[in-house]
Structure formats: structure tokens, C-alpha cells
């Protein structure tokens, strides 16, 4: 069965960096697009990034463009999110999610359990 | 950006009821509309994709309809485990956007 396990969250000061990881299993990772979605405490869902199955294409909303970078290592079945210049408003639970296809379906078929990122001095 | 607006924001219902949640897009998303269920402290779960396709393993009491800008999620014969928050999401174009959520509570 599909399993997505995020790690790397924690408390970080504003302006600093953090890298999240998502270990995938139960499917052919290299054949599917992947996403990051976040949820601030008590708030709704916000899409953060998408990467195609072959890592050729990446997509971001303006709120994180230029600060966050999504990447993947298909040899390790692992998805990453490099977050730089963190702000208080980036505080959220970050979920990785699997696309049902190559990455261009742009919806979230399976989700990990999430990892909490807190940006605070 | 495509704005997604759900109504109502909260809803009280009883076990066995039929409920409908509406999602309206600020511009047409054709049929690129998806629905998720989220329980407290848990990750969201995909229920419906492409407006009306039931995700594998999801009970048939869940159904979706609509196209263009207006969509609905209907839950028939509510069960206790259906009390949760529901989100719509458009996958027509980036930035991908969600509705603000509808909290379904037990009456």
C-alpha cells in the first residue's frame, strides 16, 4: 500500500532554512508526480509545490516562489522541500502527497501524516 | 488566481441525513474539481476527483456533481464517521486552490 512519511520539521528562526523529506513506498515512485501541501494551525489547506515524475517541471504559488524548492531523488524514493528565508506565516503542518499520474493531474491521491514546521524567534 | 468558495462554512446534521455542500469557482474549472475529507489531527483523504468520480475505497454514499463554476458534494445516509471537514480543490490551473472548508458536525 502507498506510504508517505514526512520528516525534517521543527522550530526554526525567521530567515533561516529547513529541508523537509518525504520517504515514499508501496508504488513506483519514479512514475508519479508529487506535491507539497501545507496547513497553518487551525486554518485551511494551501498548495505549496508540485514536481513532475521526471523532475523536469516544477510549479509553485507566488507565496513561496523563489524561497522554496521542490526536488526528488528517484533512486532513493524520496521527495524534498528546501525552504529558505522562512517567515512566521510559513508555520504549518507540511504534507507530501502523491499525484495519481505523471504530475500533471494536479490533485492529491494519497497524503502523508504531515510534519510541523514552526517559524519563531 | 481561481478563488474557491464553499457553502456553508459549517453544517449540523444527524446520522442518517442527506447533506449537500456547495463549491463555487470564480471562473470555470470545467470538470477539474476534487473533494477531500479531513478529520481532526489527520491528513486529508481524497473522496471525489474530476467532479464526479469516486475514489477507490470511498463509500458510495459520497457523490459529486457539477461542472464549470458550480459543484456539489452530497453525502447520503450520514454515518458517524462522516463528521469531518470537507474541502474542494480546483486542478484546472496553477496556482492550485482550495475552498475554505465546510465543517460537518453532529446535531
Amino acid at each position: 500500500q502507498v506510504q508517505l512519511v514526512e520528516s525534517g520539521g521543527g522550530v526554526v528562526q525567521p530567515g533561516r532554512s529547513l529541508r523537509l523529506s518525504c520517504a515514499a513506498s508501496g508504488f513506483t515512485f519514479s512514475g508519479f508526480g508529487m506535491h507539497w501541501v501545507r496547513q497553518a494551525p487551525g486554518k485551511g489547506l494551501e498548495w505549496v509545490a508540485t514536481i513532475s515524475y521526471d523532475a523536469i517541471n516544477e510549479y509553485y504559488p507566488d507565496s513561496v516562489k523563489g524561497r522554496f524548492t521542490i526536488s526528488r531523488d528517484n533512486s532513493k524514493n524520496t521527495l524534498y522541500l528546501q525552504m529558505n528565508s522562512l517567515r512566521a506565516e510559513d508555520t504549518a503542518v507540511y504534507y507530501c502527497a502523491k499525484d495519481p499520474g505523471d504530475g500533471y493531474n494536479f490533485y492529491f491521491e494519497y497524503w502523508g501524516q504531515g510534519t510541523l514546521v514552526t517559524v519563531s524567534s | 488566481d481561481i478563488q474557491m468558495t464553499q457553502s456553508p462554512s459549517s453544517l449540523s446534521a444527524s446520522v442518517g441525513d442527506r447533506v449537500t455542500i456547495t463549491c463555487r469557482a470564480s471562473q470555470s474549472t470545467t470538470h477539474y474539481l476534487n473533494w477531500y475529507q479531513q478529520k481532526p489531527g489527520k491528513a486529508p483523504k481524497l473522496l471525489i476527483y474530476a467532479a464526479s468520480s469516486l475514489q477507490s475505497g470511498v463509500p458510495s454514499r459520497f457523490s459529486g456533481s457539477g461542472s464549470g463554476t458550480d459543484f456539489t458534494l452530497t453525502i447520503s445516509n450520514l454515518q458517524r464517521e462522516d463528521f469531518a471537514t470537507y474541502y474542494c480543490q480546483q486542478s484546472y490551473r496553477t496556482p492550485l486552490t482550495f475552498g475554505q472548508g465546510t465543517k460537518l458536525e453532529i446535531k
Side-chain angles (χ1 to χ4, degrees):
Chain A
Q1 72 282 18
V2 173
Q3 260 202 309
L4 301 169
V5 180
E6 301 93 337
S7 60
V11 180
V12 60
Q13 292 179 328
R16 303 298 290 262
S17 298
L18 201 62
R19 189 177 83 157
L20 305 182
S21 299
C22 172
S25 60
F27 65 103
T28 305
F29 182 73
S30 60
F32 292 88
M34 296 293 295
H35 311 275
W36 289 98
V37 177
R38 68 184 179 184
Q39 187 170 36
K43 301 298 184 181
L45 300 167
E46 181 186 15
W47 168 68
V48 172
T50 293
I51 189 166
S52 59
Y53 72 102
D54 54 5
I56 288 180
N57 288 304
E58 302 166 22
Y59 303 86
Y60 306 92
D62 287 346
S63 59
V64 308
K65 194 176 294 182
R67 299 189 300 123
F68 289 11
T69 302
I70 189 172
S71 62
R72 64 192 298 159
D73 185 336
N74 285 345
S75 68
K76 295 182 178 179
N77 291 346
T78 302
L79 177 72
Y80 302 101
L81 184 67
Q82 177 68 41
M83 304 185 293
N84 299 331
S85 303
L86 281 161
R87 306 166 180 169
E89 55 264 35
D90 296 319
T91 293
V93 173
Y94 284 74
Y95 297 100
C96 73
K98 173 187 172 292
D99 192 276
D102 51 15
Y104 303 109
N105 293 281
F106 292 115
Y107 66 94
F108 317 109
E109 185 184 30
Y110 292 100
W111 300 63
Q113 85 289 350
T115 188
L116 177 61
V117 173
T118 303
V119 183
S120 173
S121 53
Chain B
D1 298 3
I2 300 177
Q3 309 301 320
M4 308 301 294
T5 303
Q6 290 180 231
S7 60
S9 295
S10 63
L11 176 60
S12 292
S14 301
V15 172
D17 283 355
R18 172 187 170 105
V19 299
T20 297
I21 298 169
T22 297
C23 179
R24 175 163 287 174
S26 60
Q27 57 187 272
S28 176
T29 67
T30 66
H31 63 284
Y32 294 102
L33 190 286
N34 315 293
W35 290 96
Y36 303 86
Q37 176 195 65
Q38 187 178 32
K39 297 180 180 179
K42 300 294 186 182
K45 172 187 173 183
L46 177 66
L47 300 175
I48 301 285
Y49 62 95
S52 60
S53 296
L54 192 67
Q55 172 68 358
S56 176
V58 173
S60 59
R61 63 180 180 273
F62 291 90
S63 63
S65 65
S67 65
T69 61
D70 294 311
F71 302 88
T72 57
L73 172 70
T74 299
I75 313 171
S76 303
N77 188 22
L78 264 177
Q79 299 299 299
R80 186 161 294 272
E81 59 266 29
D82 300 336
F83 292 94
T85 300
Y86 293 85
Y87 294 93
C88 62
Q89 176 247 331
Q90 64 83 14
S91 48
Y92 182 66
R93 70 161 57 105
T94 61
L96 311 178
T97 47
F98 291 88
Q100 81 280 13
T102 295
K103 187 173 184 178
L104 177 55
E105 299 175 303
I106 299 176
K107 186 183 288 185

